[in-house]
Amino acid sequence: MTSTTQQSDSATDDEFLWLEDIYGQKPLEWVRSQNAVTEAELVNNQFLADEQRLLEVLDSTDRIPMVVKRGDHYYNFWRDREHPKGLWRRTTWESYLTDAPDWDVLLDVDALAAAEGQEWVWGGAMFLRPTDGGPYRRALIALSPDGGDAQRYREYDVVDRSFVEGGFDIPVAKSRISWAGPDALHVGTDFGPGSMTTSSYPRTVRTLRRGEPLESARLYFEIPETSMMAVVVHDQTPGFERDIAAHIVDFYSSRTFLRRGDEWVHIDVPDDVNVSLHRQWLVLRPRTDFELDDVTYRGGSLQAARLEDFLAGQRALTTVFEPDAHTALQSWSWTRDHLLLNLLKDVSSEIRVVNPAQSWTAEVLDACPPLHAVDAYAVDDEDDDAGNDYWLVATGFLTPTTVVRGTIGGTHVEVKASPSYFDEESFTVSQHFAVSSDGTRVPYFQVAAKDLALDGGNPTLLSGYGGFEHAMTPAYSGVTGRGWLERRTADGRPGVYVLANIRGGGEYGPAWHQAALHANRHRAYEDFAAIAEDLVERGVTRPELLGCTGRSNGGLLVGNMLTQYPHLFGAISCGVPLLDMKRYTKLSAGYSWIAEYGDPDKPEQWEYVQTFSPYHQLQEGRKYPETLIWTATSDDRVGPVQARKMAARMKALGVGNVWFHEALEGGHAGASDNRQAARMHAMSFEFLWKALTGQL
């Protein structure tokens, strides 16, 4: 495919470069003026009522409080109407089993924000493993000042319920931190010039001792500036304490090192092999086929070996999982004695329990209904009594999420269930396959009324992502149920929701992802377009009633629907998107995505990158669908400027049906609390419904 416009490669010829000044007065004035126009069109009494219904879902006290076991307690982070910034809390297992657990609040983020005059957003907690079986007490708390990826890390004592006076306190940055012991941290952060990569992540990791200033931390590990990120983690597993370093070259290439004495020892496998260590085991997951001692191991498979044997030169690997045309490995988790494999079989979950003590034999765990997603992972592999216990988190488009706990070799029982938030009984889920332009069969899920009329008259929302080997799987969403499925046209038709499983994702393993990299990016877009055409051919909808939505890389996806397939859609909602693929490597974390898209600064790669750069594919005089482009000022991953520039260029070209909205807080998620999330969802749904039903 060739470019349809002749755009200069020089950033100085970009007429909207001024909008890249994220917090500049003039750009923010432009943002506020655009927000006012969009809100005047969309926000009315009905919008506010719909927004409130979505907020009820997000704030519901009947939601499942997901927990993580540490020692004798089960920890949870919780947001609701009374605590919009959230509570970090814990309870016991006996209490968690009740309908109303007795929660012990450890940190009230709303109270903290009020006391410190800073709009803190919770980023998680990282515990120091206690010695000699004592209770968990010290943790590093991550807090973002604006919902972005940059966070401050502060040492907290869960017994005293306070930050440790004189304790560790790492300033706001895109940091990667690990406990190195009771009185030390391995810190990858912004130490000043030369300490961050061109991808805006840590280039060096230093060891910080308790009581010393950050600038005195000793250099421990470093990588070239052009790589993506340096990480060091301390494995705190009793009997297997060790430091592991990762030189992350790009999203799909890394080198893993093990500290032995004063040296880093490279675990010698190809860079595109994922390496993980668990106790005595080395586990490898190659992205492409690789050969070791005349044996070829397939991409997407999983191998295991004893770590010490491998380091000593014994390279015989045991294949634990082998993919096929329908089945792909998504993740794995260790219990004390077993390995849990989470698989997708034509995008439905399958779980296998592998026993290393019995030659790595595997059995299927009977816990996965068709067209559902079930994730299995260990409860606490180091617990003497619960070491072989596992969680099962099961969900489906019309099946509220459940949490089950089981024991390998025993039974599993339901622990918690999410309530129903919409009339699921009126709908049905089906899976279909569209044929892309190169003949590839591409699956998609359809959620529609049981009495769906196949006459092309149904407002339909098609959602997708198609990147970074991320699989789009079935999931229950009260927000989608209320915000889209339960809407009704004037003649009483509900919305239809469709989820695409296009190439670029990970639904069929790394090969499915690699099929849409770099110059082959258009395969993802061709797949998505094929699904749109299949929906019309099957009589589900017609182009003027078909909308699409995507965020981040999904925003790039729907941006290409806008510029390359405008005839297939009546409306497009494009969120926190990549759109200017000439400048993306220079904006926020964009440089780290070159492995996915290509390098626009290399002329031979710009030749193909420009063909899927929506900002450069816009044409004056062309008719485009109704379009909403939305973002967040504080998004420091993709950044708001690509969305700003796309909307501004469309308006300058005379496109009158483009709308823009930018949340002035919220990070890459577009929202930092439930209120903001409800506004974001309501705005997208309201825009799409109005646009498709002729109300704009």
Side-chain angles (χ1 to χ4, degrees):
M1 183 178 291
T2 58
S3 176
T4 56
T5 57
Q6 295 297 319
Q7 297 288 341
S8 171
D9 290 352
S10 173
T12 58
D13 292 330
D14 183 343
E15 72 274 32
F16 295 109
L17 201 64
W18 59 276
L19 285 170
E20 292 187 7
D21 183 5
I22 294 176
Y23 294 100
Q25 180 178 351
K26 183 180 177 183
L28 285 178
E29 288 176 354
W30 180 89
V31 166
R32 292 188 179 97
S33 68
Q34 296 300 319
N35 283 357
V37 172
T38 300
E39 290 171 6
E41 177 64 38
L42 297 179
V43 179
N44 53 28
N45 289 337
Q46 184 59 53
F47 174 94
L48 295 174
D50 291 341
E51 179 185 38
Q52 184 60 36
R53 292 188 74 234
L54 302 188
L55 185 57
E56 287 174 1
V57 174
L58 298 173
D59 276 343
S60 171
T61 56
D62 292 330
R63 288 174 291 128
I64 297 176
M66 305 300 291
V67 292
V68 174
K69 182 179 181 297
R70 292 291 181 267
D72 295 330
H73 290 93
Y74 291 77
Y75 291 79
N76 164 261
F77 184 74
W78 182 262
R79 291 190 181 105
D80 59 24
R81 184 185 303 276
E82 295 181 5
H83 309 95
K85 292 189 178 300
L87 302 172
W88 188 40
R89 57 191 191 172
R90 69 183 183 182
T91 191
T92 63
W93 177 245
E94 292 75 16
S95 181
Y96 185 68
L97 288 173
T98 67
D99 292 335
D102 181 17
W103 291 104
D104 177 14
V105 175
L106 303 173
L107 181 64
D108 183 331
V109 182
D110 295 271
L112 178 69
E116 298 187 347
Q118 177 68 59
E119 296 299 314
W120 292 119
V121 178
W122 176 260
M126 182 191 314
F127 269 108
L128 170 67
R129 185 186 303 277
T131 58
D132 302 325
Y136 280 78
R137 180 165 185 163
R138 294 289 178 91
L140 291 175
I141 303 295
L143 296 164
S144 166
D146 55 12
D149 288 349
Q151 297 175 326
R152 179 181 176 186
Y153 286 82
R154 302 161 73 179
E155 188 176 5
Y156 193 81
D157 189 312
V158 300
V159 175
D160 295 341
R161 306 292 197 278
S162 64
F163 290 103
V164 177
E165 185 175 354
F168 292 113
D169 189 344
I170 310 302
V172 174
K174 288 186 177 181
S175 304
R176 295 296 184 271
I177 297 177
S178 170
W179 286 101
D183 297 306
L185 302 178
H186 294 317
V187 179
T189 193
D190 188 349
F191 288 99
S195 66
M196 304 295 277
T197 67
T198 48
S199 297
S200 77
Y201 295 108
R203 188 186 73 80
T204 66
V205 179
R206 301 165 191 257
T207 302
L208 178 67
R209 305 293 176 183
R210 185 177 296 280
E212 70 179 4
L214 186 62
E215 58 269 21
S216 298
R218 177 177 58 87
L219 182 65
Y220 194 44
F221 183 70
E222 64 181 327
I223 62 172
E225 184 180 17
T226 54
S227 289
M228 180 178 168
M229 188 191 313
V231 179
V232 173
V233 296
H234 179 67
D235 186 345
Q236 302 181 70
T237 306
F240 296 92
E241 294 88 349
R242 55 202 170 192
D243 284 347
I244 304 164
H247 169 190
I248 302 175
V249 181
D250 56 43
F251 255 92
Y252 314 112
S253 302
S254 63
R255 296 159 196 159
T256 302
F257 299 84
L258 188 63
R259 190 72 171 184
R260 291 292 171 91
D262 294 329
E263 296 183 350
W264 289 109
V265 177
H266 179 220
I267 297 178
D268 189 14
V269 294
D271 288 357
D272 71 346
V273 175
N274 177 282
V275 175
S276 67
L277 306 180
H278 176 79
R279 298 178 182 257
Q280 72 269 36
W281 299 112
L282 168 68
V283 177
L284 306 175
R285 193 254 193 177
R287 299 192 72 253
T288 57
D289 294 356
F290 83 103
E291 187 174 294
L292 190 63
D293 288 352
D294 298 323
V295 178
T296 298
Y297 301 96
R298 289 184 57 191
S301 60
L302 192 71
Q303 284 75 41
R306 291 186 179 274
L307 174 62
E308 294 304 325
D309 291 346
F310 188 88
L311 292 177
Q314 300 176 33
R315 299 306 174 90
L317 305 178
T318 298
T319 296
V320 178
F321 168 78
E322 186 88 9
D324 60 36
H326 300 277
T327 311
L329 174 66
Q330 296 296 297
S331 63
W332 59 91
S333 176
W334 286 93
T335 69
R336 183 178 58 200
D337 301 307
H338 296 80
L339 181 62
L340 297 169
L341 303 183
N342 290 295
L343 312 177
L344 283 183
K345 196 165 189 174
D346 284 329
V347 207
S348 288
S349 286
E350 179 181 298
I351 297 166
R352 297 181 190 173
V353 181
V354 181
N355 189 345
Q358 295 182 0
S359 303
W360 300 91
T361 54
E363 294 183 358
V364 174
L365 186 66
D366 184 16
C368 303
L371 307 187
H372 282 66
V374 184
D375 188 27
Y377 54 97
V379 173
D380 183 351
D381 69 290
E382 294 174 17
D383 187 283
D384 290 337
D385 298 320
N388 282 317
D389 283 8
Y390 56 83
W391 298 113
L392 295 177
V393 180
T395 185
F397 292 109
L398 302 177
T399 306
T401 301
T402 60
V403 174
V404 170
R405 182 167 177 169
T407 301
I408 293 175
T411 61
H412 53 258
V413 295
E414 184 177 295
V415 176
K416 298 285 181 183
S418 174
S420 166
Y421 291 111
F422 65 99
D423 180 19
E424 300 93 356
E425 293 300 318
S426 297
F427 300 91
T428 187
V429 179
S430 55
Q431 186 180 44
H432 305 269
F433 289 80
V435 179
S436 195
S437 58
D438 65 355
T440 301
R441 295 178 76 245
V442 182
Y444 65 93
F445 293 101
Q446 175 184 294
V447 187
K450 289 181 177 178
D451 59 354
L452 179 71
L454 295 176
D455 60 359
N458 305 291
T460 301
L461 177 56
L462 174 58
S463 178
Y465 188 76
F468 296 93
E469 205 177 331
H470 177 66
M472 304 296 285
T473 56
Y476 184 83
S477 171
V479 169
T480 300
R482 289 188 175 189
W484 187 259
L485 293 173
E486 287 195 333
R487 287 179 182 260
R488 294 292 185 272
T489 62
D491 60 352
R493 295 174 185 254
V496 176
Y497 178 73
V498 178
L499 182 66
N501 300 119
I502 59 178
R503 283 174 288 184
E507 289 85 350
Y508 290 100
W512 192 250
H513 167 241
Q514 293 157 12
L517 290 180
H518 288 245
N520 293 322
R521 197 77 201 168
H522 289 285
R523 288 176 178 166
Y525 310 142
E526 290 162 0
D527 290 356
F528 200 74
I531 293 172
E533 292 169 338
D534 197 58
L535 289 167
V536 173
E537 184 177 340
R538 290 178 46 238
V540 175
T541 191
R542 56 182 184 269
E544 58 268 32
L545 288 175
L546 178 58
C548 66
T549 184
R551 302 188 209 178
S552 191
N553 174 75
L556 176 62
L557 164 68
V558 300
N560 275 279
M561 294 303 107
L562 171 71
T563 54
Q564 298 188 50
Y565 301 93
H567 59 287
L568 295 181
F569 300 94
I572 291 175
S573 174
C574 180
V576 289
L578 286 90
L579 294 165
D580 179 358
M581 300 305 288
K582 181 61 181 176
R583 297 271 299 156
Y584 87 92
T585 59
K586 299 173 176 62
L587 302 171
S588 299
Y591 191 88
S592 64
W593 308 323
I594 287 176
E596 181 82 9
Y597 305 117
D599 188 346
D601 289 335
K602 295 180 178 178
E604 70 278 9
Q605 294 188 33
W606 173 239
E607 282 300 311
Y608 62 76
V609 172
Q610 67 178 319
T611 68
F612 56 84
S613 178
Y615 189 61
H616 297 88
Q617 294 296 323
L618 289 168
Q619 297 180 55
E620 187 172 6
R622 191 173 191 186
K623 184 178 179 181
Y624 293 107
E626 301 280 356
T627 302
L628 171 67
I629 303 174
W630 51 273
T631 187
T633 308
S634 59
D635 179 5
D636 55 2
R637 194 177 310 169
V638 170
V641 300
Q642 302 194 52
R644 292 177 182 179
K645 291 165 61 178
M646 185 75 171
R649 179 167 281 183
M650 290 180 73
K651 289 175 179 288
L653 290 174
V655 180
N657 58 345
V658 58
W659 311 86
F660 177 86
H661 195 271
E662 181 174 321
L664 299 180
E665 51 191 339
H668 188 54
S672 60
D673 60 30
N674 291 344
R675 175 188 56 82
Q676 295 169 23
R679 170 56 59 100
M680 175 192 71
H681 289 300
M683 187 162 290
S684 181
F685 286 137
E686 183 76 8
F687 165 79
L688 288 162
W689 190 266
K690 279 190 169 183
L692 297 179
T693 57
Q695 300 176 55
L696 277 184

